[in-house]
Amino acid sequence: MQVRHTLTASERSRLLPFVVASGEISPRDQRDLMERPFFSLSKTKRTTPILYAAGDTRVEVFGMPEHGMATIWDADVLIWAASQIVEAENLGLTTSRFLRFTPYQLLTGIGRQTGARDYGLLRAALARLQSTVVATTIRNGQNWRRQQFSWITEWEICASRNGRAAGVEIVIPEWLYRGVIDRSLVLAIDPAYFRLTGGIERWLYRVARKHAGRQPTGWTFEIGHLHQKSGSLMRPSDFAIQIRRAAVSQPLPGYRLNIERAGARELLRILPTDLSTHPVDNYVNGIGTSHASTIGTSHAGLSGLHTHKPQLSLWPETAIPALNLSNLESNSYVDGKRRSADNPSCPSIAPFKGPGDGP
């Protein structure tokens, strides 16, 4: 695949920065990313493309040989960014695709440690997110059939005078940003998600949260269909073994997994249990412009955005029109019936409070 870069100037020079001032907040995930195969589920480098088709929906993901495809652990960066944007929009603050924050904010927000190794892994994750190329027909415009982008279009880690990583700047693509500020496309997830260590477990939780939600009867998938939706390079038989093991170990917070049979078909039923998540009900008004080691959980009640609001007001604000986007594509079995709907300079940011390394 030939990748064409059309940007001739830094996007950061044309976007107003959203300075993240909050700490630990309720994590939110973007619906489209929760059920389609957008990320590698393996911790080993993957360059084999993901090619997924369901009806009119297409997802193609390409990893570059130097870095490999972005992994589902790298996606924690996008979940954290989406969570910060949603929280700021809820408070009536101006947001942007251009985010500024400290490495400490991000790493602690997704339950990572803050040692030198973790900062190195963060840099590697940012490199994979930028070099991964995604092409999809999901939420395509009226006159467009396919959109192509990288998960991060630009990133930079700024160093303080003593050589420590003092701040990070990233620009996320318009496709992802629109999918975040439209609250119909965002769901709250359990903070315990970040403690899941297996790629299939993480992907399966996102599928469960997206489809089963709080439905008393849950949601049922044919395991062969799940394999197609995952984009996994495993053989179907090996993938089925992993699903059966998950049904034994029950790793998903808030959900129970049951293996069922329907003739020759092997099915997975996902049932909600005691969910600690809550639905994201209210729409956002259009006001706003990899690998984990030891994982923690979030305990903050009130967002730090309340106390740091003056810091955010240092940056000019620009209005963005309200968006009305939808997501209708999915494939599953419900009660036995198939259902188909399918930087000019380092910003003035306080340095992190934990140990770190050079730029």
Side-chain angles (χ1 to χ4, degrees):
M1 185 200 70
Q2 182 180 7
V3 181
R4 299 196 311 172
H5 297 281
T6 57
L7 290 177
T8 57
S10 170
E11 283 197 283
R12 288 176 292 173
S13 66
R14 296 183 281 107
L15 294 170
L16 298 176
F18 165 43
V19 181
V20 176
S22 67
E24 299 170 335
I25 60 175
S26 174
R28 280 91 163 189
D29 207 347
Q30 207 281 326
R31 286 176 179 263
D32 296 320
L33 273 59
M34 297 173 77
E35 65 165 319
R36 278 78 168 221
F38 280 108
F39 303 97
S40 170
L41 305 185
S42 173
K43 293 182 179 180
T44 59
K45 181 189 291 188
R46 173 173 175 170
T47 56
T48 303
I50 294 175
L51 304 175
Y52 170 79
D56 294 333
T57 298
R58 299 287 189 276
V59 173
E60 301 175 359
V61 186
F62 303 90
M64 299 299 102
E66 181 181 359
H67 301 288
M69 184 182 298
T71 72
I72 199 165
W73 293 270
D74 300 335
D76 290 357
V77 175
L78 305 181
I79 293 175
W80 183 84
S83 305
Q84 296 294 334
I85 291 171
V86 170
E87 184 77 3
E89 295 273 353
N90 286 345
L91 296 173
L93 302 176
T94 299
T95 62
S96 169
R97 296 192 294 118
F98 174 15
L99 288 79
R100 284 176 173 169
F101 52 89
T102 66
Y104 181 82
Q105 287 175 304
L106 170 61
L107 291 172
T108 56
I110 59 176
R112 308 288 176 93
Q113 297 296 306
T114 56
R117 177 177 179 272
D118 300 280
Y119 286 93
L121 291 175
L122 173 59
R123 285 196 296 271
L126 294 175
R128 282 189 295 271
L129 289 166
Q130 184 184 36
S131 64
T132 297
V133 177
V134 180
T136 183
T137 59
I138 299 173
R139 291 189 277 119
N140 55 323
Q142 181 179 359
N143 300 316
W144 298 90
R145 291 300 303 162
R146 190 174 95 154
Q147 298 180 70
Q148 183 167 303
F149 51 86
S150 295
W151 292 121
I152 291 178
T153 60
E154 294 183 30
W155 68 275
E156 182 175 0
I157 295 182
C158 298
S160 61
R161 292 183 178 180
N162 62 6
R164 285 188 166 186
V168 181
E169 295 184 345
I170 65 172
V171 178
I172 62 174
E174 183 72 17
W175 184 89
L176 177 59
Y177 182 67
R178 291 190 179 188
V180 170
I181 63 175
D182 183 341
R183 284 285 291 280
S184 68
L185 300 180
V186 178
L187 283 175
I189 63 173
D190 196 313
Y193 165 79
F194 296 117
R195 293 203 300 270
L196 296 175
T197 58
I200 289 181
E201 295 172 354
R202 281 173 158 247
W203 176 80
L204 201 55
Y205 172 80
R206 299 173 86 183
V207 170
R209 183 69 184 99
K210 166 65 172 60
H211 287 287
R214 294 175 175 270
Q215 301 180 73
T217 58
W219 199 277
T220 304
F221 288 97
E222 186 173 5
I223 291 182
H225 176 61
L226 274 178
H227 178 256
Q228 295 175 355
K229 287 174 69 70
S230 72
S232 172
L233 292 176
M234 286 185 179
R235 296 180 304 175
S237 58
D238 293 334
F239 181 85
I241 291 174
Q242 294 299 316
I243 297 298
R244 296 184 202 116
R245 287 176 176 172
V248 173
S249 61
Q250 297 296 335
L252 304 190
Y255 293 95
R256 179 169 182 82
L257 307 176
N258 293 334
I259 300 294
E260 301 179 357
R261 298 280 179 176
R265 296 178 305 168
E266 187 175 23
L267 309 176
L268 177 69
R269 182 176 291 274
I270 305 173
L271 293 166
T273 54
D274 297 326
L275 293 178
S276 63
T277 56
H278 55 83
V280 179
D281 298 320
N282 300 322
Y283 290 85
V284 172
N285 294 324
I287 59 170
T289 48
S290 188
H291 312 310
S293 51
T294 303
I295 304 298
T297 56
S298 173
H299 304 286
L302 188 64
S303 167
L305 281 166
H306 288 285
T307 57
H308 291 276
K309 188 171 180 179
Q311 178 181 353
L312 291 170
S313 65
L314 291 174
W315 307 104
E317 298 184 357
T318 302
I320 279 188
L323 301 171
N324 183 18
L325 309 177
S326 62
N327 168 24
L328 301 176
E329 181 268 331
S330 66
N331 290 291
S332 64
Y333 281 90
V334 181
D335 297 329
K337 298 180 181 179
R338 176 175 285 280
R339 174 174 175 176
S340 177
D342 231 280
N343 186 30
S345 60
C346 185
S348 179
I349 302 179
F352 61 84
K353 300 177 182 179
D357 57 342

